[in-house]
Structures are given as structure tokens and as C-alpha cells.
């Protein structure tokens, strides 16, 4: 939760913003709030009145017909108020949930539209998390606001009406109830502040407990749990953490008990005073027994209205802080070109040239550049390999080239035009990319490949063969219509790492961008499947400018040129033969890998013999 000094807008400004958003969505929601508030406020009074009328009728000797008629009439009134209250509260909850989902959808759409580097960092991720946490949680502003408005309106109306009733007894009585309610409220605020401060020390413990709970219930961990007899070990850790959490929250629990005692004490005093005062009024003939019932019930309810007003004001302030997170995220602006740009002709028969000119890139909050004054020209249709150890900057270069990152210094040219000269969506269309980190959506295999593009059966079959995806789904009963993500669909399949990589390769090939980028496309494949991909690399990259990133240098001999990176700079450059003759770092890495490959082959042959 933000401090007030950190908020961009005041709580009042944010609440006013939210009310306007609600009005745009559906003005009838304010009517539902009003009906729920009035009926909810009158309901306890009507119930008291029902009891009072019966008592009054019996004590004054009214006939049975009158008693029954009056009772039925009041009972119908109570039922009507109950139905109104419940119905409108259900409408508020249902519509509030829909409204929250609409807000969540707005966030998702905005996230997809803003530039990748706007949120690719700790600060950007924090803004995303706060905004989405608010919209995802039904107990926060965008859904909870309707209950807050209903509760505040009901409490204000109840306070005014019940104060009017009780002022006939004595105005000091209202003051007594009000003072006790305020004291209890302030003490509750103190408890909330204490809990909030305590979260800083309890939160890490909760994360550990949550992690343990998730791991013990995770299906993929079940094998290790059993084979290594980890249940006792996990149980001991869980007990230790639970005891630690108990100790950390002990002070808060004691304060809460104190608050309950304080609240009970005030209620006891108020009830005693009310009994004494009202009984004296009965004895003196100022009020009847029926009036005693109404007054005493009103006294008990008045404190609830006052507490309700104070609690809902705090809830409104909290909602204002939560809305601030949403507005801050929605006001993030893209800095890239989303308007007119250089005309592009995305065609597989029209390869593009690429040029890096003095490009440097430093990650947010990093102390040094990952890419340093990088210069490289890739000719149209050239097949180039980027190699180097982990952390050399290969994947960062790809993110810069594809427009996900913007260079800190220097510029990237595609066909002689700077990246910013292109409309960003047109620029993205130039690239078919397979990243190291890939994902699956809960759709069919075919839908995952098409990605919303129009289906071309001939070309789809072609890329499925080239990527090896056809071998993946041919053994499945539903073929390419097989659903993915088993935890979503019971009849879905969970692909292996190698199968997933073939799926991603098929997706990239079907997009058919003129620049093909394969970032470790064979990392999860076995040696036979990897060899097949290498043999097909020539056809995969035909009429395309292609960049191939791999730690396995056996793949680089298929490329026209190899660039060896180290610490964000080009250390060596040339063909496979040229770099092997140079006997530099590429040579050392290749020889090291060849040694292990040869040993592996030799061991297999020896085992066969």
C-alpha cells in the first residue's frame, strides 16, 4: 500500500475518477446502491417496529383480528425490505464483478500496447503487479467500491434517522454512543497500522509457508517426495515456520483481544445506562413497553451506524490508494512510433539488410553496459550465427534488433532505415523469432501455429514437416486438433521440452517474416532431432536474412558467417573454417565441445560392442 506522499492523485480525486468510470459503465448501479442502502437501513427498524407493535397491542388489549392484521402488514413490509436489500446487493456484487473484469481487460489491452521496455524492469514490473493485483482482487477497489458506497450511504442514513429517534430520550446519549464508537474505531486503526507494519516481518515467512504448501501439493514433485522421504523434513520446516509466524503475530493478537475487551466494556456501560434510563421512563409513564423495545434496539444499532461511517471512510481512502496504482499504470505511454512509418513489404522473397551502428545497451538500474559500441552489418539473405558463452549479450542483441528494447546509444538500421522510422507493428511483422523462453496457450496445436493468421493448408503442412512438428502430433488421436495445457483441459496433452521447441519453430516459420531469428532452437532436442534441424536449416532460411544463436557450435558450419561475442563485443568473426584456422576462442570452444561429443559417441559404440 502506498503512503499518501507517494500518491500521484488524492484519494478524493481517485474516488471521483472511479465514480465517473462507473457512470460510463452503467448509471443504474447508483440506483442499486441507493435501494440497497435504504432497504438495508430500514430493515432493522422495521423488525423492531414489528416487535413493538405486537407488544403494544397485547399490553393495551387490542383484539386478535387487529393484532393479526397489523402483524401481517408489518411482516410483509419486512419481507419487501429484505427482498429489496438482498436483490440489490446481489446486483451490486454481480455487476461489480463484471466491472472489475472490464477494468482487468483494459489493463491487459494496455499492457499489450505499450512498449516492451516500458515495463521490462523492476520499476515497470512493480507498477504492473500493483495495478493487476488491484483489478484481480474482488476485495479491492474496483469491485469492493460498490459495497463501500452501499455501506457508507446506509450508515449515514441510519445515523440520521436513529439520532432523530433517540434525541427524544437525551442528546447526551447520542454523544455517549458516538464517543465510544470513535474510540473503538481509533483503536481499530491502531491495530490495522500495527498489522501493516507487522507485514514487513511476517510476509517473508508467509512466502516460505506458501512455497512449501505449493511444493508438497505439486504433482511433478510427488516423485521426489516419495523416493527421498521428504515428508518429515518438509513437516519439520513447516512447523518451524508456523511457530515463527505465531511469535511474530502474538503482539497483534494481544492488541486485538484488548480491543474486544474495550469494545465489550463500552457496550456494557451503554447498555446499563440505557436500561436504567429507559426503565425510569417506563416507571414515570413517559414511554410504553413497546417504545422501550424500539429505543433500546435503536441505541444498539446507532453505534453500528457510526462505526459503519468511520470504517467506510477508511475503506474509501484505501480504495483511493488502490485506484492510484491503476491510473499510474494506465498513464504509462509508449515512446515508439505507432503512427505513419516507412512502407514495408513483408515477403519471404525479399530479404532485408541489418546494420548495428555503435549500439550500446544498459539494463535499467545496471551499472555497466551489456552491449558496448556494437557494430555489425548483415547482408540481405545472409545466414549468420551468433555464438559465445552465457551472458555474452546474444539474447540482448536479438531483443534490441526485434524492437523489444531500444538502444541506450547508437542505432539499428533495417534496409537503411532507422528502427523508429517504421511503424512499430509493421516493424514487428518483419521478424519470425523462436526465443529461448517459450509458452503454450490453452488452444489446439494448429491454433498455436497459426496465431490468428489465415490458414494455408499447403504452407502449414510445409512448415510442420520442416520443423518436425508433424511427427509430434501424428501419433495423437486428434492430430493437430489436440488441445494444449492439461491443467486447463482434461483431454489436452502436455508436450515435452523438445516437442514444445518444434511447435515454436513451426509457429515462427508459419509467420514467414523476411528475417528469421532462431535463439537456441535445438536446446531441448536430442542429437538426432538436432541433426535433422541442421540439415533443413538451408531450406528453413531460404530467401531470408537469418540469425542463428546457439551454444552448440556444430550448428554454425551451416552459416555464411559466425560472430563470436564476449562481454557485449565482437571478439572474432568469420566462417567456420576461418575461425578454426585462427585458433582463438571459437576454436577452443569448438574443440572442447567436440571432445565431449566424441567421448559420448565412443562410449555408446563401446557399449554396443
Amino acid at each position: 500500500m502506498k503512503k499518501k506522499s507517494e500518491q500521484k492523485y488524492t484519494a478524493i480525486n481517485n474516488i471521483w475518477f472511479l465514480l465517473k468510470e462507473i457512470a460510463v459503465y452503467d448509471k443504474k448501479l447508483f440506483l442499486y446502491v441507493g435501494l440497497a442502502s435504504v432497504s438495508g437501513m430500514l430493515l432493522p427498524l422495521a423488525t423492531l417496529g414489528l416487535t413493538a407493535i405486537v407488544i403494544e397491542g397485547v399490553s393495551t388489549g387490542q383484539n386478535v383480528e387487529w393484532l393479526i392484521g397489523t402483524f401481517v402488514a408489518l411482516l410483509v413490509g419486512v419481507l419487501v425490505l429484505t427482498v429489496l436489500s438482498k436483490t440489490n446487493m446481489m446486483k451490486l456484487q454481480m455487476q461489480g464483478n463484471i466491472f472489475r473484469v472490464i477494468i482487468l481487460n483494459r489493463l491487459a489491452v494496455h499492457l499489450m500496447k505499450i512498449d516492451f521496455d516500458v515495463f521490462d524492469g523492476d520499476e515497470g514490473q512493480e507498477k504492473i503487479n500493483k495495478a493487476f493485483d488491484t483489478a484481480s482482487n474482488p476485495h479491492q477497489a474496483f469491485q469492493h467500491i460498490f459495497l463501500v458506497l452501499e455501506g457508507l450511504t446506509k450508515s449515514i442514513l441510519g445515523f440520521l434517522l436513529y439520532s432523530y429517534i433517540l434525541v427524544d430520550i437525551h442528546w447526551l446519549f447520542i454523544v455517549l454512543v458516538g464517543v465510544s464508537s470513535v474510540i473503538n474505531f481509533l483503536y481499530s486503526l491502531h491495530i490495522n497500522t500495527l498489522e501493516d507494519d507487522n507485514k514487513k516481518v511476517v510476509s517473508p515467512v508467509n512466502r516460505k509457508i506458501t512455497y512449501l504448501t505449493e511444493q508438497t501439493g505439486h504433482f511433478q514433485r510427488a516423485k521426489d517426495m516419495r523416493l527421498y522421504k521428504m515428508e518429515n523434513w518438509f513437516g519439520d520446516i513447516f512447523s518451524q515456520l508456523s511457530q515463527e509466524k505465531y511469535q511474530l503475530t502474538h503482539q497483534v493478537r494481544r492488541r486485538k483481544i484488548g480491543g474486544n475487551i474495550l469494545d465489550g466494556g463500552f457496550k456494557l456501560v451503554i447498555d446499563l445506562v440505557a436500561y436504567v434510563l429507559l426503565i425510569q421512563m417506563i416507571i414515570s409513564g413517559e414511554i410504553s413497553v413497546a417504545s422501550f423495545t424500539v429505543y433500546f434496539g435503536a441505541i444498539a444499532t446507532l453505534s453500528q451506524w457510526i462505526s459503519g461511517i468511520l470504517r467506510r471512510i477508511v475503506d474509501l481512502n484505501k480504495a483511493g490508494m488502490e485506484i492510484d496504482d491503476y491510473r499510474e499504470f494506465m498513464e504509462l505511454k509508449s515512446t515508439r512510433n505507432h503512427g505513419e512509418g516507412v512502407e514495408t513489404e513483408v515477403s519471404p522473397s525479399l530479404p532485408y539488410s541489418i546494420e548495428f551502428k555503435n549500439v550500446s545497451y544498459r539494463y535499467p538500474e545496471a551499472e555497466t553496459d551489456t552491449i558496448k559500441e556494437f557494430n555489425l552489418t548483415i547482408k540481405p539473405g545472409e545466414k549468420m550465427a551468433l555464438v559465445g558463452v552465457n551472458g555474452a549479450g546474444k539474447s540482448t542483441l536479438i531483443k534490441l534488433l526485434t524492437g523489444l528494447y531500444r538502444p541506450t546509444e547508437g542505432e539499428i538500421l533495417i534496409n537503411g532505415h532507422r528502427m523508429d522510422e517504421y511503424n512499430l507493428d509493421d516493424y514487428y511483422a518483419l521478424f519470425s523469432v523462436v526465443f529461448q523462453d517459450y509458452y503454450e496457450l490453452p488452444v489446439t496445436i494448429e491454433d498455436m501455429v497459426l496465431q490468428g493468421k489465415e490458414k494455408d493448408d499447403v504452407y502449414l503442412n510445409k512448415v510442420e514437416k520442416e520443423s518436425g512438428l508433424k511427427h509430434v502430433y501424428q501419433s495423437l488421436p486428434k492430430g493437430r486438433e489436440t488441445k494444449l495445457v492439461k491443467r486447463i483441459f482434461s483431454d489436452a496433452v502436455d508436450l515435452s521440452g523438445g516437442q514444445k521447441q518444434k511447435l515454436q519453430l513451426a509457429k515462427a516459420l508459419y509467420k514467414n517474416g523476411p528475417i528469421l531469428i532462431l535463439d537456441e532452437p535445438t536446446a531441448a532436442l536430442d542429437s538426432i532431432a538436432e541433426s535433422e534441424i541442421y540439415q533443413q536449416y538451408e531450406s528453413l532460411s531460404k530467401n531470408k536474412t537469418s540469425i542463428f544463436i546457439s551454444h552448440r557450435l556444430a550448428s554454425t558450419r551451416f552459416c555464411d558467417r559466425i560472430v563470436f561475442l564476449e562481454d557485449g563485443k565482437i571478439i572474432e568473426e568469420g566462417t567456420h573454417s576461418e575461425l578454426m584456422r585462427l585458433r582463438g576462442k571459437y576454436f577452443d570452444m569448438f574443440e572442447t565441445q567436440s571432445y565431449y561429443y566424441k567421448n559420448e559417441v565412443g562410449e555408446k559404440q563401446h557399449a554396443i560392442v
Side-chain angles (χ1 to χ4, degrees), residues 434 448-450 459-460 463-470 500-512:
V434 177
M448 193 68 190
V449 175
L450 297 180
Y459 191 66
L460 180 60
V463 300
E464 286 174 345
K465 289 179 181 177
E466 290 177 342
S467 63
L469 180 63
K470 196 159 191 174
K500 290 178 182 178
Q501 214 153 20
K502 291 177 181 178
L503 175 61
Q504 298 305 312
L505 180 57
K507 181 182 74 173
L509 293 176
Y510 192 81
K511 183 182 177 183
N512 205 19

Side-chain angles (χ1 to χ4, degrees), residues 357-395:
K357 294 181 67 175
N358 299 316
V359 171
S360 296
Y361 182 76
R362 179 176 299 188
Y363 282 94
E365 302 177 6
E367 295 181 357
T368 59
D369 291 341
T370 300
I371 305 298
K372 303 166 184 176
E373 298 181 357
F374 187 84
N375 289 279
L376 177 68
T377 299
I378 304 174
K379 300 175 183 178
E382 186 176 11
K383 300 170 182 58
M384 196 198 72
L386 275 177
V387 299
V389 298
N390 287 331
K394 304 185 296 296
S395 293

Side-chain angles (χ1 to χ4, degrees), residues 364-556:
E365 302 177 6
E367 295 181 357
T368 59
D369 291 341
T370 300
I371 305 298
K372 303 166 184 176
E373 298 181 357
F374 187 84
N375 289 279
L376 177 68
T377 299
I378 304 174
K379 300 175 183 178
E382 186 176 11
K383 300 170 182 58
M384 196 198 72
L386 275 177
V387 299
V389 298
N390 287 331
K394 304 185 296 296
S395 293
T396 301
L397 276 175
I398 296 306
K399 289 178 181 177
L400 285 167
L401 172 60
T402 54
L404 297 176
Y405 293 166
R406 172 178 284 179
T408 307
E409 294 179 2
E411 58 187 10
I412 299 173
L413 306 177
I414 304 294
N415 272 6
H417 296 284
R418 289 183 293 105
M419 182 191 301
D420 288 341
E421 294 182 48
Y422 290 89
N423 172 282
L424 190 58
D425 291 331
D426 291 341
Y427 188 83
Y428 286 152
L430 298 176
F431 301 95
S432 289
V433 189
V434 177
F435 287 110
Q436 291 183 42
D437 48 343
Y438 41 77
Y439 65 92
E440 292 174 273
L441 294 173
V443 296
T444 65
I445 292 176
E446 180 181 289
D447 289 334
M448 193 68 190
V449 175
L450 297 180
Q451 294 286 300
K453 294 176 68 70
E454 185 177 348
K455 183 178 177 181
D456 182 334
D457 286 308
V458 175
Y459 191 66
L460 180 60
N461 278 308
K462 180 176 182 292
V463 300
E464 286 174 345
K465 289 179 181 177
E466 290 177 342
S467 63
L469 180 63
K470 196 159 191 174
H471 293 295
V472 172
Y473 70 70
Q474 275 182 332
S475 60
L476 300 174
K478 295 184 179 179
R480 63 161 74 115
E481 295 299 321
T482 301
K483 295 176 183 176
L484 299 170
V485 188
K486 198 170 184 62
R487 69 176 182 270
I488 302 297
F489 298 113
S490 59
D491 59 340
V493 298
D494 286 332
L495 302 178
S496 67
Q499 290 172 331
K500 290 178 182 178
Q501 214 153 20
K502 291 177 181 178
L503 175 61
Q504 298 305 312
L505 180 57
K507 181 182 74 173
L509 293 176
Y510 192 81
K511 183 182 177 183
N512 205 19
I515 301 175
L516 176 65
I517 301 174
L518 305 179
D519 190 355
E520 295 289 347
T522 61
L525 302 180
D526 56 52
S527 56
I528 296 176
E530 181 185 37
S531 177
E532 291 174 353
I533 292 293
Y534 293 160
Q535 292 173 14
Q536 293 174 345
Y537 184 56
E538 181 67 30
S539 62
L540 293 178
S541 56
K542 187 177 181 181
N543 294 324
K544 296 180 185 292
T545 303
S546 61
I547 301 174
F548 191 92
I549 301 174
S550 180
H551 290 91
R552 302 179 184 180
L553 301 189
S555 63
T556 57

Side-chain angles (χ1 to χ4, degrees), residues 210-226 230 234 487 494:
T210 301
Y211 176 80
L212 285 176
T213 304
E214 290 174 348
Q215 296 308 306
T216 53
H218 200 292
F219 178 74
Q220 293 181 348
R221 311 289 186 268
K223 299 186 293 295
D224 283 349
M225 290 287 180
R226 286 157 176 76
M230 299 169 69
F234 266 76
R487 69 176 182 270
D494 286 332

Side-chain angles (χ1 to χ4, degrees), residues 208-246:
K208 294 175 183 177
I209 292 175
T210 301
Y211 176 80
L212 285 176
T213 304
E214 290 174 348
Q215 296 308 306
T216 53
H218 200 292
F219 178 74
Q220 293 181 348
R221 311 289 186 268
K223 299 186 293 295
D224 283 349
M225 290 287 180
R226 286 157 176 76
L227 292 175
Y228 289 92
K229 301 297 291 181
M230 299 169 69
E231 61 270 16
N232 292 333
W233 179 54
F234 266 76
D236 291 340
I237 297 175
F238 190 86
S239 297
Q240 292 171 11
L241 290 172
S242 299
Q243 183 62 30
E244 184 179 352
K245 180 179 178 180
Y246 177 84

